[in-house]
Amino acid sequence: MQLKAEPEMAGKIVRCPGCNTKLSIPAMAPASLPAPSGLPAPSGVTPPTSQAPAENDAFGAEYEHGETTPEHTHSAYQPKERGGWEETDPANPNPWLALAIGAVASLAWFGIMFPFGKGAYNAPPVDTMDYLHDLFLERTWVNYMETFFFFWAIGLIYLKIQKLRHQKDAMYLDVLPAELGQEINRENVGHFIDHLYGLPSRLRDSMMVNRIRKGLELFEIRQNNGEVTSMMSAQSDIDGSRIGGSFSLIKVFLWAIPILGFIGTVLGLSQAIGSIDLQVSDISKVMGSLGKVTSGLGTAFDTTLLGLVLAMFLNFPMNAVSKAEDDNLNNIDAFCNEVLMPRLNDGGGVAGGDTNGIMDTLVKAVANAQKDFLVDLNALSKQVKEQADNLDKRAAAHQQRVDAEFAMTLNRMREDLTSAVKDSVKTTTDYTRALSSGIQSLNTLLSELGGKQILIHQVKKKGWFSRE
């Protein structure tokens, strides 16, 4: 297993995050450190001329501890069956374990406060420690609940700190060793995945290793940097949501503790008002009831004071842990963007890309373009067919309408012509019948006349000055 260490840790003794044994970080001169993989050398530092594998990356120097990574032959690599590993929640602690821690811590705190009590029960405190004893142990049940909720929340924060320490320990793993290749392509991505599966099970179950494993397994199938980037961005959002949601129960306690203080205030005021007795004539009894009033008021104010103080003390570690988890998530995002993604080579770039990868990318691009073209062509053909069918339907409907109009007009013309012909025939018939009757009358007249002569006398017109 290979670990990484920051340059300022050179020469120091640390504990291994995997086996918890003490290790001595070798002292190395800063000038002897080569540049990170794929990045230019720092200004003022001469890079080494040897072709040995890089000994560090962008997150610090590397050194071997325990069993080293075996050499692999890229051409003889046989893919292995991988089922992943069971992932535990990286941010949400066990609430029941935190409950047990809070209960034990509450009992321990009450045990610590118990010896500092002085005087009788509910007697005025004589010093600060006696006042603290009375505040926690001689008030209402509200103070006990506030203390218990406070230590329950502290137990949750403690467990979250342990999970955060586990996530930070995983950051020291060399998850992408340079011995397996300066770049990650489809030929050697399987070796990097196998290397992740060979990491200690305690450390590999972390947000960083899980995200890198998922990214490399997706890259092994798709060989597409864009899809890997999208998947890692989505995984980063999921991890951020998990971290944000892990504070829900602590925020509930942060809200409930002051509310319990206000409840204690109401109870104390009720007790104080209920203890007033002004109906007695004995002044000593009245003064005794006033003592109970002041005791109730003290209970009321002490419960509120304790709730506000505990809420304030709980708010500081909660926000500190929240910021630390956000910083750790940002470090994981930075590692993926600055170390992992620049080393992924899907063959999409001409410079530094292998020919087979380029050809595969081109074939996939052409196939995808052809598939999209066929889909668009089928959609266009369907639309043209629908338009043609619609046009045929409209033409048929128009033809039917024209035929109906033509038949109607023709029938009307035929009826009009028939009516006109009938009228003409009737008129001609009547005229012929009248002509025949006239001819017959003429023939009768001529037969009656026979050979008779018809004298036609001309009548002379008389003038104005005629004698006749």
Side-chain angles (χ1 to χ4, degrees):
M1 180 179 67
Q2 291 185 342
L3 303 175
K4 293 179 293 186
E6 299 293 340
E8 59 268 17
M9 299 297 294
K12 297 182 180 180
I13 297 177
V14 297
R15 288 188 176 275
C16 173
C19 58
N20 205 30
T21 57
K22 291 185 178 181
L23 302 174
S24 177
I25 306 297
M28 295 180 294
S32 63
L33 297 176
S37 175
L39 300 177
S43 58
V45 178
T46 304
T49 57
S50 62
Q51 300 299 325
E55 297 180 355
N56 76 320
D57 55 17
F59 276 71
E62 298 177 359
Y63 67 96
E64 296 181 357
H65 169 60
E67 187 177 354
T68 59
T69 303
E71 296 294 333
H72 299 277
T73 304
H74 299 304
S75 59
Y77 174 75
Q78 296 294 332
K80 300 179 181 179
E81 294 183 1
R82 310 185 189 97
W85 54 75
E86 184 179 359
E87 299 182 17
T88 58
D89 197 317
N92 287 288
N94 187 349
W96 304 114
L97 180 58
L99 171 64
I101 295 175
V104 173
S106 300
L107 293 177
W109 179 256
F110 292 141
I112 293 174
M113 288 291 103
F114 183 77
F116 294 101
K118 299 178 182 179
Y121 182 80
N122 279 336
V126 297
D127 54 17
T128 302
M129 298 307 299
D130 187 23
Y131 173 74
L132 292 177
H133 169 271
D134 296 344
L135 183 64
F136 284 98
L137 297 178
E138 294 185 1
R139 296 297 183 261
T140 62
W141 58 269
V142 175
N143 292 37
Y144 291 97
M145 292 301 300
E146 289 176 344
T147 306
F148 174 67
F149 281 170
F150 173 77
F151 282 108
W152 191 352
I154 291 296
L156 290 171
I157 293 176
Y158 171 76
L159 295 180
K160 286 184 65 64
I161 292 175
Q162 297 301 316
K163 285 182 173 290
L164 178 61
R165 183 178 300 174
H166 169 71
Q167 300 296 330
K168 289 185 176 181
D169 289 343
M171 295 290 293
Y172 291 104
L173 292 174
D174 184 18
V175 293
L176 301 174
E179 289 82 359
L180 300 180
Q182 293 297 323
E183 66 177 21
I184 303 173
N185 50 44
R186 68 171 188 169
E187 301 294 337
N188 62 1
V189 63
H191 300 308
F192 286 94
I193 299 176
D194 293 339
H195 171 72
L196 295 180
Y197 277 84
L199 294 175
S201 58
R202 174 182 172 273
L203 294 178
R204 72 182 184 184
D205 184 19
S206 61
M207 287 190 295
M208 185 187 71
V209 180
N210 286 330
R211 189 186 303 182
I212 293 175
R213 174 182 63 83
K214 294 174 182 178
L216 292 180
E217 288 178 345
L218 178 61
F219 181 79
E220 185 181 28
I221 298 173
R222 305 290 295 176
Q223 283 95 43
N224 190 309
N225 287 7
E227 295 183 7
V228 175
T229 302
S230 300
M231 188 278 295
M232 288 195 167
S233 178
Q235 188 64 36
S236 177
D237 295 338
I238 293 174
D239 293 337
S241 299
R242 287 178 176 175
I243 291 176
S246 63
F247 288 92
S248 299
L249 187 56
I250 301 177
K251 292 180 179 178
V252 169
F253 291 142
L254 191 63
W255 165 84
I257 291 175
I259 295 298
L260 284 174
F262 295 138
I263 293 175
T265 300
V266 174
L267 293 177
L269 292 176
S270 300
Q271 178 183 355
I273 295 175
S275 61
I276 298 178
D277 187 8
L278 300 178
Q279 302 298 326
V280 296
S281 58
D282 190 357
I283 191 64
S284 61
K285 294 183 178 180
V286 174
M287 296 302 296
S289 64
L290 291 179
K292 296 180 180 179
V293 170
T294 56
S295 176
L297 293 177
T299 300
F301 294 126
D302 285 344
T303 53
T304 304
L305 174 64
L306 181 61
L308 295 177
V309 171
L310 293 180
M312 182 184 65
F313 278 110
L314 180 61
N315 193 42
F316 288 112
M318 184 190 73
N319 286 281
V321 173
S322 177
K323 183 180 183 304
E325 288 187 333
D326 291 339
D327 293 341
N328 183 67
L329 184 61
N330 292 333
N331 291 334
I332 296 174
D333 294 338
F335 181 86
C336 294
N337 294 332
E338 298 174 7
V339 179
L340 174 61
M341 295 308 301
R343 294 179 64 178
L344 291 181
N345 182 12
D346 58 356
V350 177
D354 58 317
T355 307
N356 294 331
I358 295 175
M359 292 301 298
D360 290 344
T361 303
L362 291 177
V363 169
K364 291 180 180 179
V366 172
N368 292 333
Q370 185 179 7
K371 181 180 179 180
D372 295 338
F373 173 75
L374 292 177
V375 171
D376 296 339
L377 182 60
N378 291 334
L380 182 61
S381 300
K382 184 178 180 180
Q383 293 180 358
V384 171
K385 185 177 182 301
E386 291 177 356
Q387 294 293 336
D389 294 341
N390 189 20
L391 185 61
D392 291 342
K393 293 179 181 179
R394 295 178 62 184
H398 181 71
Q399 185 65 33
Q400 291 178 359
R401 183 176 180 182
V402 170
D403 293 343
E405 293 289 340
F406 180 76
M408 186 181 300
T409 305
L410 185 61
N411 291 334
R412 190 181 299 113
M413 290 178 61
R414 184 175 60 184
E415 292 175 357
D416 294 343
L417 181 60
T418 302
S419 178
V421 170
K422 287 182 179 180
D423 294 341
S424 299
V425 170
K426 182 179 180 182
T427 304
T428 304
T429 302
D430 294 342
Y431 179 76
T432 304
R433 187 180 294 114
L435 182 60
S436 175
S437 176
I439 293 174
Q440 186 177 359
S441 300
L442 182 62
N443 288 335
T444 303
L445 180 62
L446 289 178
S447 61
E448 291 177 355
L449 291 179
K452 295 180 181 182
Q453 293 181 352
I454 300 174
L455 296 179
I456 301 172
H457 297 277
Q458 182 177 5
V459 181
K460 294 182 181 181
K461 296 181 180 180
K462 292 181 180 183
W464 294 97
F465 301 99
S466 175
R467 294 180 178 179
E468 297 180 1

